Amino acid sequence: YVHLLPVIFPVRAFWKAWRCCRRLQRGCCRCSAFARPSGFHPLDSLALLMEADDRARSSKGASEGLGKLSVGLTPADIVRLLDVGSGEMGFYTYWYDQASERVKVEGVSDAKLKYNKGKTFMDQYVFGADESEQLAGEIIRRMKLDSR
């Protein structure tokens, strides 16, 4: 067992230092006078996310009505969706095909519209000078809204 001592000692010392650091993060380490008040540690992130989920479920805000939104669609309706992402935008059209009795989608295989480098949707199309005209043209072209 004596030959294992050099291997065991560094491992035990590492875990002792690890526990001390964790306690120090929580402000309750007895071995240091420099204990900080509660701070963030990555190992606590799961618990923090679960607490945030619980708070979100218990709060009653404006978003509660979104789940109760009643939309009446008929088989003849066409639904057009503009998917605004963090770096690109997708244009999708959904409709019910009565012949095959399936919901069809268009725009999935089309290339998405990418924003200019370093810009967001708001920067480029809302606050941009001429970009809103480009967006309107893309919506008309990709969703086949042209009346001609």
Side-chain angles (χ1 to χ4, degrees):
Y1 295 107
V2 175
H3 66 281
L4 291 177
L5 191 57
V7 175
I8 293 174
F9 180 73
V11 172
R12 291 186 75 195
F14 168 78
W15 286 114
K16 184 177 179 183
W18 177 265
R19 282 192 301 275
C20 178
C21 289
R22 291 287 293 148
R23 286 188 202 121
L24 185 61
Q25 278 284 15
R26 295 184 183 134
C28 61
C29 185
R30 292 172 295 211
C31 67
S32 175
F34 303 107
R36 294 187 332 197
S38 65
F40 175 76
H41 192 277
L43 293 176
D44 300 327
S45 60
L46 178 61
L48 293 172
L49 286 172
M50 292 174 77
E51 289 173 14
D53 284 345
D54 291 341
R55 281 194 307 271
R57 282 189 203 105
S58 65
S59 70
K60 295 182 180 179
S63 64
E64 186 176 317
L66 289 177
K68 298 177 183 175
L69 183 62
S70 174
V71 178
L73 295 174
T74 67
D77 287 335
I78 297 174
V79 177
R80 292 180 175 90
L81 178 73
L82 179 62
D83 179 18
V84 177
S86 59
E88 59 191 16
M89 195 178 335
F91 302 84
Y92 307 101
T93 304
Y94 297 88
W95 71 95
Y96 180 71
D97 183 27
Q98 292 181 350
S100 65
E101 295 183 347
R102 293 179 183 245
V103 174
K104 303 278 184 141
V105 63
E106 187 175 274
V108 175
S109 61
D110 297 344
K112 294 185 177 184
L113 179 64
K114 298 198 181 291
Y115 310 142
N116 292 340
K117 187 169 182 141
K119 293 213 175 183
T120 64
F121 174 81
M122 295 296 286
D123 293 337
Q124 186 164 342
Y125 296 110
V126 176
F127 303 128
D130 301 325
E131 303 291 337
S132 59
E133 292 295 324
Q134 178 199 1
L135 177 61
E138 288 291 332
I139 291 172
I140 290 170
R141 183 180 68 78
R142 291 181 185 232
M143 293 188 175
K144 299 181 176 107
L145 298 174
D146 198 358
S147 60
R148 293 182 234 154

